[in-house]
Amino acid sequence: MKKRLTMFLACLLLSFGVALAQNKITGTVISAEDNEPVIGASVLVQGQRSGTVTDVDGHFTISVPSGKKITISFIGMESQTVTPKNGMRIVLRNSAELQEVVVTGMQKVDKRLFTGSSAKISANEAKLDGVADISRSLEGRAAGVSVQNVSGTFGTAPKIRVRGATSIYGNSKPLWVVDGVIMEDVIDVSADDLSSGDANTLISSAIAGLNSDDIETFDILKDGSATSIYGARAMAGVIVITTKKGKSGQARISYTGEYTMRLKPSYSTFNIMNSQDQMSIYQEMQQKGYLNYAETSNAASSGVYGKMYQLFSEYDPATGQFGLANTAEARADYLRQAEYRNTDWFDVLFSNSIQHNHSISISTGTDRSQTYASVSAMFDPGWTKQSKVERYTANLNNTYNISKKLTFNMIANTSYRKQRAPGTLSAETDVVSGEVHRSFDINPYSYALNTSRALDVNTFYTRNYAPFNILHELDNNYIDLNMFDMRVQGEFKYKPVRQVELAVLGAYKYNQATQNHQILDESNQAQAYRSMATTTIRDANPFLYTDPDDIFAMPVTVLPYGGIYNKTTNSMNAWDFRFTASYNDAFFNDAHIVNLYGGIEVNNIDRSSDWFRGWGMQYSLGEIANYAYQVFKKSAEENSDYFTLTNTHERRAAYFGTATYSYKGRYTINGTIRYEGTNKLGKSRSARWLPTWNVSGAWNAHEEPWFRKVFKNSLTHATLKASYSLTAESGPSWVTNSMPVISSYNPWRPTAGLRESGLQEEDRANGDLTFEKKHELNLGVQLGFFNNRINFELDWYKRNNYDLIGIVNTQMGGMKYGNVASMKSNGVELSINTTNIKTQDFSWSTNIIYSHTHNEVTDLENNQRVIDLVSGSGFALEGYPVRSLFSIPFKGLNNEGLPTFLDQDGNITTTGIYFQTQEKEKLGFLEYSGSVDPTDVGSFGNLFKYKGVSLNVYITYSFGNVVRLDPVFKNKYNDLNAMPKEFANRWMVPGDENYTTIPVIASSRQNRNDNSLSYAYNAYNYSTERIAKGDFIRMKEISIGYDFPQSFVSRLSLNNLSLKLQATNLFLIYADKKLNGQDPEFFNTGGVAVPMPKQFTLTLRLGL
Amino acid sequence: MKKYIGLSVIALSMTLASCDDFLDKLPDNRTEANTEEKIQKLLVSAYPTHDHMAFTEYGSDNVDDMGETNPYSDRFLDEIYSWTDVTESDNQDPEGYWMDLYQCIETANMALEGIESMGGATTSSLKEAQAEALLCRAYAHFMLVNVFATHYDANNSSAMGVSYVTETEKELNPKYERETVHENYAHIAEDLEAALPNVGDSYYTVPKYHFNKNAAYAFACRFYLYYEKYDKAIEYANKVLGTNPTSMLRDWAVLDKMPDGSDMQQSPTTNHVIEATLNCNLLLLTSVSIQGVLFGGFTSGHRYSHCEYLGQNETISALAGLWGGNYTSFAMQVKRYSGSNMNAWSQWRMPYLFEYTDPVAQIGYSHTVYNAFTGDEVLLNRAEAYALTGEYDKAIADLQVWIRNTSTQKGYVLTIDRINEYIGGLPYAYDKDKTPKGDIKSSLKKHLNPKFKIDEEGSTQENLIQLILACRRYETLHEGKRWFDIKRWGIEIPRRVMNAAGNPDHINDWLTVDDPRRAIQVPQKVREAGYTPNPRPTTDNAGNSAVNHL
């Protein structure tokens, strides 16, 4: 037995004696956990105020009147009331396991003493089997957390918002904390760009490398009080993940196998025309002057008609025949075949193949060390062509109790992912016409939706003047993604005395993602660079190069051989260091509970990204490069790069402290302060430091002595909470101009010989640049009825976001970004869980989650163009929600069938919409359609259990947002386009404008007469006519599980065995009819984006 | 316990000290102007990439309105033609030019501050860099004051100029005060004089895109001409022109022999105009601009056009009348376009070039390259300085060099008599006072109302200056430089509408001698940010026009 070093004076103050018939008792109090004496435990005579405390050896001596019992208690341990006996030995057990704790990532806080707003979700309950990215399973699980699956592709992060947007230009992304370490994204993909479909989104999820089986709990910290320990990083909330730890005792090995089958999408759920209707549209187009021989046979893109014309001139000398005889009969026959074709692109491009995930974990340990280790392997052959994923993870979590005072915990986590995706380039917006387009897009999902069903699967048609077949292209144009990430961390905890704990945490993270975009020799994208079959094509093909230095030059190819090899590498090196000290104690019969916690933290993140484009990679000749020199001349003249390198460095340092005082667990007050600095805000030593703080309090009414008397069993739990806080965020990652931002550039020059590189001031200095800040008032109430059979939790908050980054128009620096904008938001969050029926064999519980959030930009100078305000992800405008979508007011069709709109000057126009207009007074004509972010989200879950069988029916819902319908209308169509069925109601003859709002298929004469007709059709795509409500109720999950009975299991020498069949994303119970099958959560932007599939997963769990 | 607290305090204070050093790391690969090379590289961006050419050319008498029925216009062109304060945004709007010039000034100041922080310009190449920075700063202010203020008037020391900015911006949204034009000119002179002794070409890799020696002298020549310090103008012109001025002039005949390009006909010619190896091109500037389209063989913008009537009566043929020639008697032939809604005489000298940001979608920036200074202009400036100092022989000698080089008359002999005979015989163009609609006939000779004194109308000096202005108008056609002569010489010009036959029909508006619109209005966004605007006439309740002094 070691001597304790310190003892508290407070201990002595409690020694009072009362002169009665007394028995002097001595005893020892021992902790069950470590068999060590408990110092300072209070020993009270029941019903009296007299008592004593234990000394350094855990001994106590007390006089007890005969017949009285004594109560021994210590904070964090279960109290015991025993009959006194001399020389007694009392073993106290930790109460932590019985009591709920909130994990803030840095601390574990007794829920009774926690004054903030948080939600705890056990991974077991939330986990969606067959969905490898654990972040997606948070959808609907916690009030105040909205999860939008803007793309279902693995590696793409869902758009997660905790209590809605907190910034205008910033990301409003919550902070992910895994086992106390902040997870950083390898690249900064903004919340809006998550739905872009660009290849970068594949590496946007910081936690895609976590095996969902390793996760124990999520703690979602919502209000400023809960997050304040992260102060200047936590404005948008914190999601804390705690992974599993080993437990002492017998080694347990578990296996989880998930086998997932995904349904192919079906045309029956979309309103795409079948090939017969489609061909009749083409016939109309032909009547209107399109799809004629001269134009179509040399067109950049063509389908059935283009192929027909090409066949006319394809002469086969062997047979002496043309590909197709140019006779009326042969033509009709050819077109009739197309009419009957009805190609099912979904069937061709999607597969039902089984995705399987295997995870094996072992949990073992002794008193001295505990280990949790797991490995997992996920194989996904791909729902669509070229979307194969393999992921391997390994995780090791060891805790060593080196001595009674010193423990060491180490975690090593690594994952490797190999993924393939269809080749894609980044999407671009043509600001002039307002069209968002992606060159060479071969996304299978959008291809199936947008491509005519009259095309033959195996025929090569024409795209970018070169032969194109989707299956061939997918085989020859793809992205190989290799992603490796690793995290190692170690933490020493030293407890010199029971009340004090010192901890040192160090973590190192490394991520590397390599995207190799392989454009093979025979791909359409490579061939487009050398397509010059006719002089017409040669002169029209934009991929060819005409030497400006040679005044007689003809267009030539810059890619005579091979394909194009693009390589993008993103890597991140990060380390964290944290030193903390905590002090927990209780005085005066545990009446006064004090927790102190403080520390310092330092983070360093270095990111590097490089990109390279290799022209002329001859994949078919054993991968050797053979490039044309013109490619460099061309790019020099056009001022484009062939490689780039970007290194960024993020450094942070913070001091923090929090103090909690509670009187008997009834009244608790808490205060936190954090003082944080970041290098992002430049060298100015004043601007880069910011103190953030919080004050909060809670009243646990059920701890009051009168409570139980008053409410008996009807109300068993009641807590009221209030907090007020300041938290912050260092703003969008690209606003760093506290000092002038000088970067290198290559000014445009007319010829390559005049090039020189220079430096330019990209952003003028703003010495006042500071953090974006948020004041938040949170009020919460938690009630438990009937022995907590019904639990009710309600939070209300009001937020005032200020110093947000916004635009300032200056006198000489043009537009600058500064801390000038503000917004306010408020919301309520409600969660109710009830145990409706509970018998020995049967139970039924229900979970209802609802949250409402509203935000409004209160102060913002605006520089947005019309196109920003009407396109998919919306934009902020003063007086409106932070992601508002506006629409061009549609005013019916004119007598030519062309759409008309109200324009910026109050006139009715067809083509007079200026998508680039920025002037505030000229944006007024736009009609507000709604917010892009849902305002009301939640879920409704029911769990039924009968003996070993469980049935889970889980419904999620989301209301209050609008979505832009797919932009399907164009001034000119070609014979590749698929059209939605609404085309059937299109304007055909004058007079139709009284009955329909679907514009005419513009004739070539109409296009000739007005060469800006594309403005009219793009305006239509962005009009009030093409907007739908984003509201939906989704049958997210239905699952049936069966735990095999113990008797059966032990016969197999197993510990446990269970099977579960789960259907995910089964159907939408409700969605706006206007969507016609378009998923309201999903942004169909092409590239690598595909929606979440409907899937069935069989899960097998067994434990040894 | 105390021990731990003590330890923690020590640990904390140690980290506090080191934390600020830790946070000094720059967040990305941005750089600071703290070495010789970086300062030189920084100055690459001290040259404007926007231009005044659209709004000063369309505001000048080099274009006429072809009538409302001509569809080839847009709101921006309508505004700049009618001297309305611009509200439309366009790549070539005054806002773009304003912001661009002040960014050049900011960059130059940053370079100068960088040199100061290195302990001053101690090496010869730092001295050159300092000179370049000063020249860039002076040039940007010179263009700002000449575009956005009234022209320098030695007798009016209170005329409002622009802000002369000499340090980099440190705050988010600083407010600037306007100086007087006099103060602006004094500051420009100061920067110029500080720069000229050190200007050099040693470190430039592409000297024609930087203030090389000749460009600096050409700038000084024009500045002192505007500043009414004619001796200095002559002195610096001499440095550029040397003993053989012809060698510094453009070879127009070569341009005329250029073939037509395959895609855009004018490209071989226009690309040769801006050839960096030519002696006559002293300083080339790039610009985000479609000037090459607006004044080339495209219909775009041709509602306001340098039309045949103008070419015949004011600019091209009218000048050739001196030597009895017509539009064919210039070394480079003018391109004459006529057709429905296209009535234009164009000189192919503005290239239309494209920078593709997305070659597939054909999206990118339109560019042109233009001459900030040419040898030809320096020659004409010197001629004007001679004319103003009474050295008529020297002025005539320079004009003779110019005419021989520019026209087909290689042996032409220019005399005072010929000038007096031809110019003196011409009537003054559209005399505003005659009748409201009556006399709207053109002539290359227009009433001059400068703020400084010259001999009376019809004198040799006046005739000489009329000829010099006509030569300069030809020399700078489509480049927007005529506007500065209109301001400087107080030339009144109308907004004239042509009839269907292409002849003058009526006049909508006049730019009078003291019309406040001669100072282009400060851009809308700058005014909204609190900058003092230029005065504009407002109509009071009685319906009287008044000048609004804000």
Side-chain angles (χ1 to χ4, degrees), chain B residues 251-284:
Chain B
D251 185 347
W252 296 95
V254 166
L255 287 177
D256 201 51
K257 293 192 189 80
M258 299 302 286
D260 287 355
S262 60
D263 48 350
M264 272 183 292
Q265 292 185 326
Q266 66 202 40
S267 61
T269 310
T270 53
N271 287 346
H272 191 264
V273 170
I274 52 141
E275 181 57 58
T277 51
L278 300 179
N279 282 345
C280 59
N281 293 338
L282 302 180
L283 177 64
L284 293 162

Side-chain angles (χ1 to χ4, degrees), chain A residues 291-452:
Chain A
L291 304 178
N292 53 37
Y293 180 84
E295 217 171 62
T296 312
S297 59
N298 281 326
S301 300
S302 68
V304 174
Y305 281 78
K307 190 71 199 173
M308 181 171 77
Y309 297 137
Q310 285 160 16
L311 286 172
F312 289 159
S313 51
E314 253 173 42
Y315 180 71
D316 182 354
T319 59
Q321 298 275 316
F322 284 93
L324 188 72
N326 191 1
T327 62
E329 204 177 42
R331 290 163 78 130
D333 186 50
Y334 178 88
L335 295 175
R336 196 176 308 118
Q337 280 177 31
E339 208 170 303
Y340 292 153
R341 203 163 273 138
N342 238 359
T343 303
D344 187 346
W345 289 114
F346 286 120
D347 190 51
V348 173
L349 299 171
F350 285 72
S351 120
N352 291 329
S353 56
I354 306 285
Q355 170 195 313
H356 46 120
N357 185 14
H358 309 273
S359 168
I360 294 174
S361 65
I362 178 164
S363 166
T364 182
T366 62
D367 291 346
R368 303 299 281 181
S369 80
Q370 297 93 42
T371 301
Y372 175 87
S374 82
V375 289
S376 83
M378 197 263 281
F379 303 95
D380 180 2
W383 185 37
T384 71
K385 297 255 180 233
Q386 297 289 23
S387 64
K388 216 162 98 175
V389 184
E390 288 171 34
R391 185 190 68 174
Y392 305 91
T393 69
N395 183 27
L396 184 66
N397 188 332
N398 267 348
T399 308
Y400 300 98
N401 304 319
I402 297 166
S403 74
K404 285 152 202 157
K405 294 177 182 172
L406 189 63
T407 61
F408 175 65
N409 171 245
M410 56 162 258
I411 299 174
N413 191 311
T414 180
S415 81
Y416 169 71
R417 165 154 61 108
K418 202 168 123 179
Q419 187 167 0
R420 188 165 269 196
T424 183
L425 304 175
S426 294
E428 308 253 359
T429 306
D430 183 338
V431 289
V432 183
S433 68
E435 198 177 347
V436 179
H437 77 106
R438 186 189 300 278
S439 308
F440 301 108
D441 191 27
I442 50 171
N443 178 296
Y445 184 78
S446 60
Y447 186 86
L449 279 183
N450 300 330
T451 307
S452 165

